[in-house]
Amino acid sequence: MPVHALPAVALHYGAAAPLSDLKVFDIVVVEPDHGHDPLLHQRSDSQLYAYVSVAEVQPSRSYYQDIPAAWKLARNGDWQSDVLDQTPADWPEFFASRVVAPLWARGYRGFFLDTLDSYRLAAQFDEAAQQAGLVRVIETLHQRFPGIRLILNRGFEVVPRVRDKIEMVAAESLFRGWNANKKRYEEVPAASREWLLGQLQTIRQQQGLPVLVIDYVPPQDRALARATATQIQALGFIPWVSDSQLHTIGVGNIELLPRRVLVLYDGDETVSLNYTNAHRYLHMPLNHMGYIVEYADTKQPLPQGIYRDRYAGVATWFSGFVPAAKGKELSRWLLARASEGMPLALVDDFGFLPDRSWAEQLGLQVGNLGIEGRLQTVRQHPMMGFEIAPPVPGREYEPVRLVGKSAAQATPLLELQDQRGQRVVAGAIMPWGGFMLDPFVLVALPGTEQRRWVIDPFAFLTQALRLPPMPVPDVTTENGRRLLMAHIDGDGFPSRAEMAGNPLASEVLLKEVLQKYRIPHTMSVIEAETAPDGLYPQQSAQMEDIARRMFRLPHVEIASHSYSHPFLWNQEVKHGVFLEETQKDYHLELPGYTFSLEREIVGSVNYIQQRLAPAGKKVQIMLWTGDTAPSGEALAIAHRAGLLNMNGGDTFINRSQSSLTAVRSHGIQKDGYIQVFAPITNENIYTNLWQGPFYGFERAIETFEMTGQPRRIKAVDIYYHTYSASKRAGLEALHKVYRWALAQQLHPVFTSEYIRKVQDFYGYAVARDGQGWRVRGGDALRTLRLPANWGAPALAQSQHVAGYREGTEGTYLHLTGSSAHIQTLEKTAPPPPLRPFLYEANARLKKWQGNPQATQTAFTLQGHVPLQFSLGHSSHCQVRAGQRLLAPIRTTTTPAGANVQMFELTATHAELQIVCPSH
């Protein structure tokens, strides 16, 4: 069970409250005038509550003008609000109708009632009458809104009279507070603290109500927030420690683990974010370690409010200097973040020439080092030489010297020495983060477009950004098995196959691939290739018939590959051949057509839905074409149309290009929308743009193997075009790839299932919960990867965890739904009683329910192929499918010593039971 029975409560009044992070709390109080939708946020384990002020009102409120002047008792100058009299007979109804009712209609069911004691700001007031008025307000709310949930902020005197009508009582500033008059954070005087503590203990002990304590500390002082929350929790109260405006995610009885890394880049270095070094090389390692990457272009004003509540750190990748004016802004901004305790990882170049003051504050000396002769490497950290040895620096190379107190605390990563014996460095882990400068980050292989990592990016980012071990949301795996999917871009649908009878490549694909390999596939068409009014009207009827037969297959889901196959999705961002070509070369040449994003996305989907899709089967996905770099506008159109999207990334690691520099991230965010990348690239790349060798796609097997070991970075995605079936060599390559995939122990899924996992990754919330962890996401992503040194999870003490499986990087944890509480086994604890667990399966868990004694467990598996699953510690139990007793086909022992039995069924769906004898 979780370490505490009290709910986790958060308050966030910011206009852009990060609800995807805040859902890890049970109750989230927000400012409703910012437009949040409580119904969208609502889930069984987290609810939005609306902040409402009872005894004060600000002029910005919609109902302010309708409040009679006679109801205004006084003015609160600190908050620019009017204090309201609680005694008028019509006030409770006014408050219920004008303040609460509109919020109730929007879906709010919980309310945080603030300013209950503000009547005391008036020069004259009748205390008993004011308190009686507050009671009438609360009673009226319960009469008008059955089931309403209320949190009172103070109002201690009225609590006994409304005890059965409120959920908890809150109070501010027990240990630390905000002085609104002096605009500063202050420690609460001992006398004030003791008085308030007495009130709160009375509420908890005599009224039996939970108590929420809200304290205030500077947003950058995370350590103080954590220490204050610990003090509050030790008294038996629910803590919330945040900034004075409640605009950051504070520390409560759980603490959100920040999973965002802000990456700064110079937009002038390349035409689009997709092609920056920052995205190409930093994004994947951070994703793999569980982090979400956000970008800031130094051409724009740099973002403010970057704190440790949501951001794990800041990384930069510059290939040279930004413009001088921006360089000054950048240097000041970085120094400010360092002074706030935000870890920095500076890669390749600082982006500006550091002045003496800036460098000294970070413990560096840059320039004028008096280097004599050639530099030689005298010591390198184990993270250096990751894929290639560090190069010999040229005579023009300018290293850095570590100076001051920071030098004693630094860990040099590459130490160099000149002819006089002077020691300098190319990079180091520093008290404020870390840096590594060119040419010791990447090395270009002469005569190729390939790169190799000199530094281990995983180790460098972990140490520079002080990234803690955590349960990593993992999109590559479900129930212990690596995911398998297949998706096909529609290019080549009208091509004639070089085979007997010259059939259409699409017909060959249908008969020799889709009808043969009954694993989940995503199939797409290009409207301009298949439609009657497209480029091939004579063949349209035949192609549309083939498409209909494909889309009727139960293991095929439907996607669009656009209307005219754009080669360049964002015509404001021209690159490569598009710098010289004309409009007609941006897409297939269609007489009279003017490029339109709506036509390409929504129009093509409508065509497929109306003419090709069987009844009741929806087009789900937009597969990007051409440069696969859609703009934020294109992503927004797809989102509004209810479409998932994928393609791009071009992961192309293989034996000839054996570098993680060729492995891309899960995707990229643009204007708040996510483009999901294909896990690996397609056969067009393996065949040199379909120039040959046409069997080249068989090398995708190398990519699958190298992205599975030693790190499982990618799912297995058999990704190709229809034209692969136009040549016998291409078709044989497909067969070879499919045979390899089917020989592995994988977990087949539709592309849409994978896309939803990636989307879920971006919204996943992970929080420390005592000695364990609390996680909440959507229901798509069901796997967490635990660090290898954590060992096995404590299944009896965890919740919504069905089992685990060891991997090369750690342990894959199998969740049963969208949330879980995780405990790991203490190293010194005695071995727990053995209980059956799911070791692995090739299908999704629809149910996992056991009794506390672990003598009976009922579970449901639903997959796309005949079921395979393995159970740990089940050898003394009976395993049944319905009434049928199952016999294991194999029994093995895991590296940790667990006995594992493997079972197989011909069905793709089964209700299963594990029945064990009582101890």
Side-chain angles (χ1 to χ4, degrees), residues 257-269:
L257 185 83
R259 288 184 56 232
R260 282 166 173 75
V261 174
L262 182 67
V263 176
L264 272 55
Y265 71 100
D266 179 5
D268 283 332
E269 290 185 3

Side-chain angles (χ1 to χ4, degrees), residues 827-900:
K827 301 295 186 197
T828 58
L834 300 182
R835 55 193 299 132
F837 66 91
L838 182 68
Y839 183 69
E840 54 88 25
N842 69 346
R844 167 155 276 228
L845 267 177
K846 304 300 287 187
K847 180 179 77 171
W848 180 274
Q849 188 172 10
N851 62 6
Q853 299 77 28
T855 56
Q856 294 189 27
T857 303
F859 66 106
T860 303
L861 289 173
Q862 184 171 314
H864 302 295
V865 297
L867 294 177
Q868 296 177 340
F869 64 95
S870 298
L871 300 173
H873 297 321
S874 62
S875 57
H876 63 295
C877 309
Q878 291 185 342
V879 180
R880 296 181 176 274
Q883 300 302 311
R884 181 164 63 96
L885 183 65
L886 301 181
I889 63 167
R890 190 181 307 119
T891 300
T892 59
T893 302
T894 71
N899 181 274
V900 171

Side-chain angles (χ1 to χ4, degrees), residues 468-785:
M470 72 167 178
V472 173
D474 194 297
V475 304
T476 70
T477 300
E478 183 158 348
N479 290 333
R481 288 196 175 192
R482 190 180 182 189
L483 302 180
L484 166 65
M485 57 185 157
H487 83 281
I488 306 163
D489 289 348
D491 313 48
F493 217 87
S495 298
R496 291 291 175 179
E498 297 171 2
M499 301 170 193
N502 225 206
L504 290 174
S506 48
E507 183 78 41
V508 176
L509 179 67
L510 172 61
K511 292 180 177 179
E512 295 209 28
V513 178
L514 293 180
Q515 292 179 345
K516 179 177 181 179
Y517 301 109
R518 299 270 171 166
I519 62 171
H521 283 78
T522 300
M523 183 68 211
S524 65
V525 297
I526 301 167
E527 180 186 346
E529 286 192 340
T530 60
D533 57 353
L535 297 172
Y536 305 96
Q538 301 302 318
Q539 297 171 238
S540 174
Q542 182 184 5
M543 289 190 291
E544 288 193 330
D545 175 66
I546 294 169
R548 292 185 189 105
R549 285 186 282 149
M550 288 176 169
F551 294 155
R552 282 198 295 267
L553 293 172
H555 62 283
V556 172
E557 68 179 2
I558 309 173
S560 169
H561 201 43
S562 80
Y563 168 58
S564 72
H565 194 285
F567 303 115
L568 181 69
W569 277 93
N570 188 352
Q571 295 184 14
E572 295 180 359
V573 181
K574 296 182 181 180
H575 56 91
V577 298
F578 303 108
L579 294 172
E580 303 296 334
E581 302 295 331
T582 59
Q583 170 72 24
K584 68 182 179 65
D585 299 296
Y586 295 154
H587 50 74
L588 296 176
E589 189 172 356
L590 294 164
Y593 174 59
T594 300
F595 179 75
S596 160
L597 288 174
E598 287 281 350
R599 180 67 184 88
E600 295 293 339
I601 300 168
V602 180
S604 64
V605 167
N606 290 340
Y607 157 75
I608 297 170
Q609 198 69 64
Q610 293 165 13
R611 291 187 62 88
L612 306 179
K617 195 170 186 177
K618 294 291 186 182
V619 181
Q620 296 196 60
I621 304 171
M622 180 69 203
L623 295 176
W624 305 111
T625 64
D627 69 346
T628 61
S631 62
E633 182 185 1
L635 292 169
I637 291 170
H639 176 78
R640 289 195 296 268
L643 296 170
L644 304 171
N645 79 88
M646 196 171 79
N647 276 355
D650 288 335
T651 288
F652 186 49
I653 188 173
N654 55 61
R655 306 294 177 208
S656 303
Q657 186 164 316
S658 56
S659 171
L660 290 176
T661 60
V663 181
R664 298 291 173 257
S665 60
H666 299 335
I668 190 170
Q669 283 185 303
K670 298 177 183 178
D671 299 339
Y673 298 96
I674 302 166
Q675 176 189 351
V676 177
F677 288 161
I680 72 158
T681 195
N682 56 58
E683 88 286 32
N684 194 44
I685 305 301
Y686 292 94
T687 60
N688 299 305
L689 305 183
W690 201 237
Q691 298 299 307
F694 296 110
Y695 56 80
F697 188 52
E698 65 184 33
R699 300 200 68 182
I701 295 171
E702 299 173 17
T703 306
F704 298 150
E705 292 173 341
M706 296 176 76
T707 54
Q709 295 282 354
R711 295 176 177 86
R712 186 181 293 176
I713 301 178
K714 294 292 180 183
V716 174
D717 179 17
I718 305 174
Y719 171 29
Y720 57 97
H721 299 82
T722 307
Y723 56 67
S724 266
S726 69
K727 293 182 180 294
R728 178 54 63 185
L731 192 59
E732 287 304 320
L734 286 179
H735 288 311
K736 187 172 183 178
V737 170
Y738 275 97
R739 286 194 298 268
W740 178 90
L742 295 176
Q744 314 304 308
Q745 286 194 344
L746 302 174
H747 183 131
V749 295
F750 280 110
T751 303
S752 59
E753 295 175 83
Y754 171 77
I755 294 171
R756 288 188 176 96
K757 292 179 193 299
V758 174
Q759 292 178 333
D760 209 358
F761 174 88
Y762 280 85
Y764 217 84
V766 178
R768 291 184 178 87
D769 191 352
Q771 298 302 308
W773 296 86
R774 175 190 288 205
V775 297
R776 287 181 182 168
D779 196 39
L781 198 162
R782 294 274 197 88
T783 294
L784 297 173
R785 190 177 72 248

Side-chain angles (χ1 to χ4, degrees), residues 9 90 99 116 124 137 150 154 158 166 230 261 309 395 552-553 659 696 716 720 723 752 760 774 840 906 914:
V9 182
D90 293 337
V99 180
L116 298 184
Q124 294 182 341
V137 167
L150 301 176
R154 297 179 73 97
V158 304
I166 58 178
T230 300
V261 174
D309 63 328
R395 290 186 179 276
R552 282 198 295 267
L553 293 172
S659 171
V716 174
Y720 57 97
Y723 56 67
S752 59
D760 209 358
R774 175 190 288 205
E840 54 88 25
T906 57
I914 308 170

